[in-house]
């Protein structure tokens, strides 16, 4: 395995910005570590659990370090703008690019859901309590929320790129203003649905910052990066400490208002600071990654990054019966010194379990699926309505299936709603696969 990875690292095009790949790998690693550290498992008559934020207040500021999904969307915008431009220069169009771009997202996700659905069905047939099965499925599926927003912004990339070229940084600023209006509606006691658009608007704003970076509107220089870091952190402190937003940048059951459900202006302030840090470290990262060994490590991490992200909470589901139901790990008060010390064997077991899951399933991510190669078209040739409709329908069904599962919650994921949402998602995945196989740019 290491020889092909080294060869892939050595074949990297000279124009590739390696710092972007490093940021992606670091962001996912921190997300995984943050989730694992935050989990609190209880076992008495039945399995239960919560987040450490429900027990100790000192953990809330630490979420500023581990909430790095904005970095993933930032990197996505940069890489999306770069790859779309390259695909178009080689004669491709936006639909063909979207089909290629989403291939490495959809294939491992489809395998994950099929495996999870089969495991849930087997558990029910073996007589496991349906509520326990639903909780396990819900916990394993937690990483999928990101795909709902990410697939949507990838689909919108041609429009977002065109908006940037017309209005520049005014576009993410306008998105941020819209997010602020959604927040205000909720803070003033309006219906929660008034802020629902922030699920897309906030992540699109961060994605747009990545496009702006790629297009040169955010140069990686200290005179740009430092004001973003200082301004973003200052705004974050003002919005959370004396302001109306909670300090925690992840879901905290003790807060009425959440910074991620939907994303808020406070989360965007954190995103601005993180963007500034990414810009400030840009040249240092690129210099380090000119060396073969660190760059090969980054290539290796990125080759399995979706597999790691998708399966890391399944490792928790496996660890609960292995460590707690068997009594191997005691249950001291969450946040106590004993609880913190027990995080060491907890993390060690999760790391080993995830390593096995990655070894089993990573080939699905690494294996390329059918992808329309860019061709040469004359100006008179245009993509027909059929392929566009099939692609849009497929993307819509994927988002609808994942959104339905997210809204159902653990109570419904052991009953008939589980196969309904899976079927919707799988229908969308099948449409996109058919479009990839038959599409002719």
């Amino acid at each position: 395995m290491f020889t092909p990875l080294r060869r892939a690292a050595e074949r990297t095009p000279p124009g590739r910005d390696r710092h972007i790949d490093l940021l992606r790998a670091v962001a996912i690693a921190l997300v995984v570590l943050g989730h694992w550290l935050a989990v609190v498992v209880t076992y008495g008559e039945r399995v239960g659990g919560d987040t450490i934020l429900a027990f100790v207040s000192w953990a809330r500021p630490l979420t500023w370090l581990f909430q790095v999904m904005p970095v993933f969307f930032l990197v996505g915008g940069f890489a999306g703008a770069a790859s779309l431009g390259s695909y178009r220069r080689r004669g491709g169009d936006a639909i063909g690019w979207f089909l290629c771009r989403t291939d490495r997202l959809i294939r491992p996700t489809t395998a994950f859901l099929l495996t999870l659905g089969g495991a849930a069905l087997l558990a029910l047939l073996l007589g496991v309590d349906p509520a326990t099965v639903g909780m396990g499925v819900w916990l394993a599926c937690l990483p999928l929320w990101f795909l709902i927003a990410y697939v949507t912004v990838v689909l919108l990339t041609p429009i977002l790129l065109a908006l940037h070229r017309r209005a520049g940084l005014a576009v993410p600023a306008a998105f941020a203003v819209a997010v602020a209006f959604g927040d205000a509606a909720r803070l003033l006691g309006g219906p929660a649905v008034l802020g629902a658009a922030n699920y897309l608007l906030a992540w699109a704003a961060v994605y747009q910052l990545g496009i702006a970076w790629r297009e040169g509107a955010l140069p990686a220089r200290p005179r740009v990066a430092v004001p973003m870091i200082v301004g973003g952190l200052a705004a974050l402190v003002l919005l959370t400490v004396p302001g109306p937003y909670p300090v925690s940048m992840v879901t905290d059951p003790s807060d009425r208002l959440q910074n991620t459900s939907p994303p808020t202006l406070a989360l965007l302030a954190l995103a601005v600071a993180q963007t500034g840090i990414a810009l400030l470290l840009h040249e240092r990262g690129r210099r380090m990654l000119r060396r073969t060994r660190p760059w090969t490590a980054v290539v290796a991490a990125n080759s399995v990054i979706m597999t790691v992200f998708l399966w890391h909470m399944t490792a928790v589901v496996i660890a609960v019966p292995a460590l707690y139901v068997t009594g191997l790990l005691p249950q001291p008060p969450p946040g106590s010194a004993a609880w913190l010390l027990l995080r060491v064997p907890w993390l060690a077991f999760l790391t080993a379990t995830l390593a096995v899951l990655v070894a089993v399933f990573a080939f699905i991510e690494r294996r390329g699926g059918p992808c329309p190669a860019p061709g040469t078209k004359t100006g008179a040739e245009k993509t027909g309505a059929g392929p566009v409709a099939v692609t849009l329908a497929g993307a819509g069904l994927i988002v609808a299936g994942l959104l339905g599962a997210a809204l159902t919650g653990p109570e419904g994921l052991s009953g008939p709603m589980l196969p309904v949402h899976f079927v919707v998602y799988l229908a969308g995945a099948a449409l996109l696969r058919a479009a990839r196989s038959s599409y002719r740019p």
Side-chain angles (χ1 to χ4, degrees):
M1 181 183 71
F2 295 104
T3 300
L5 287 171
R6 187 179 181 89
R7 289 174 181 170
E10 292 171 347
R11 291 195 303 267
T12 303
R16 186 179 185 91
D17 195 325
R18 303 182 181 193
H19 181 62
I20 297 301
D21 297 276
L22 174 63
L23 290 175
R24 184 188 297 112
V26 170
I28 293 301
L30 287 174
V31 167
V32 170
L33 181 60
H35 284 167
W36 286 355
L37 287 172
V39 170
V40 173
V41 179
T42 58
Y43 179 68
E45 294 182 357
R46 58 184 301 175
V47 175
D50 214 321
T51 169
I52 189 62
L53 299 174
F55 298 93
V56 294
S57 59
W58 54 256
R60 291 167 189 160
L62 295 179
T63 62
W64 294 15
L65 300 176
F66 290 101
Q67 175 52 279
V68 287
M69 286 311 294
V71 175
F72 196 90
F73 279 86
L74 174 75
V75 167
F78 185 105
S83 64
L84 177 59
S86 173
Y87 195 84
R88 281 173 165 168
R89 286 191 295 272
R90 290 180 285 141
D93 59 15
I95 291 297
W97 172 81
F98 175 77
L99 292 171
C100 283
R101 191 72 180 166
T102 54
D103 180 50
R104 274 192 66 188
L105 297 174
I106 303 306
R107 272 187 298 107
T109 303
T110 302
F112 169 76
L113 288 174
L114 287 172
T115 305
L116 186 64
L121 178 60
L122 179 62
L124 291 172
L125 292 175
L126 291 175
V128 179
D129 177 30
T132 301
V133 174
M135 179 60 70
V137 172
W138 176 80
L139 189 62
C141 285
L142 279 179
L144 294 181
W145 72 264
F146 125 90
L147 274 177
I148 301 170
Y150 197 74
V151 169
T152 304
V153 293
V154 170
L155 182 63
L156 295 174
T157 298
I159 297 172
L160 297 174
L161 184 57
L163 285 173
H164 169 79
R165 290 174 177 171
R166 178 177 293 271
L169 291 172
V171 181
F175 287 156
V177 170
V179 169
F181 275 112
D183 288 355
R186 290 192 298 150
L187 289 167
L188 294 174
V193 71
L194 293 177
N198 286 6
Y199 282 110
L200 177 59
L201 291 170
W203 295 120
V206 184
Y207 192 85
Q208 194 77 22
L209 288 177
I211 292 176
W213 182 6
R214 166 64 188 179
E215 294 293 293
L218 284 176
R221 297 171 185 167
R223 63 180 176 83
V224 175
V226 172
M228 292 186 74
I229 297 170
V230 174
L233 289 177
L236 182 58
V237 171
L238 290 174
L239 289 169
T240 56
V241 179
Y245 297 94
V247 171
S248 174
M249 289 294 117
V250 300
T251 300
D252 184 347
S254 64
D255 288 321
R256 182 185 65 84
L257 182 70
Q258 304 292 334
N259 279 317
T260 55
S261 305
T264 63
L265 199 60
L267 186 61
L268 284 185
L270 176 65
V272 169
Q274 291 176 344
T275 301
I277 294 171
L279 294 173
L280 188 64
L281 298 177
H282 183 248
E283 287 306 315
R284 183 176 298 179
R286 292 184 66 180
R287 286 196 303 269
M288 179 187 71
L289 295 174
R290 289 173 190 155
R291 303 198 302 272
T292 301
R293 284 188 178 180
W295 174 234
T296 302
V298 171
V299 170
N302 277 275
S303 71
V304 296
I305 201 158
M306 271 299 293
T307 307
V308 168
F309 182 71
L310 288 169
W311 290 95
H312 78 276
M313 291 306 292
T314 303
V316 174
V317 175
I318 294 171
V320 170
L323 298 179
Y324 286 94
V325 176
T326 60
L328 289 177
L329 279 187
Q331 301 177 67
S336 65
W339 185 88
L340 291 172
L341 186 61
L342 287 170
R343 294 290 89 180
V344 175
W346 168 252
L347 292 178
F349 185 89
L350 291 176
T351 302
T353 304
L354 182 58
V356 173
L357 291 170
V358 170
V360 172
F361 293 103
F363 77 95
I364 300 170
E365 180 177 0
R366 290 196 177 111
R367 184 186 63 198
C371 184
T376 56
K377 298 194 295 184
T378 66
E381 292 176 309
K382 295 182 179 180
T383 302
V388 174
V390 171
T391 301
L392 293 178
L397 287 173
I398 282 173
V399 170
L402 296 176
L403 183 60
L407 295 176
T408 298
E411 296 80 9
L413 288 180
S414 59
M417 294 310 296
L418 173 62
V420 169
H421 298 317
F422 277 19
V423 167
V424 172
Y425 169 88
L426 292 174
L431 285 177
L432 289 187
R433 182 175 178 82
R436 291 188 194 99
S437 300
S438 61
Y439 188 73
R440 295 293 180 268

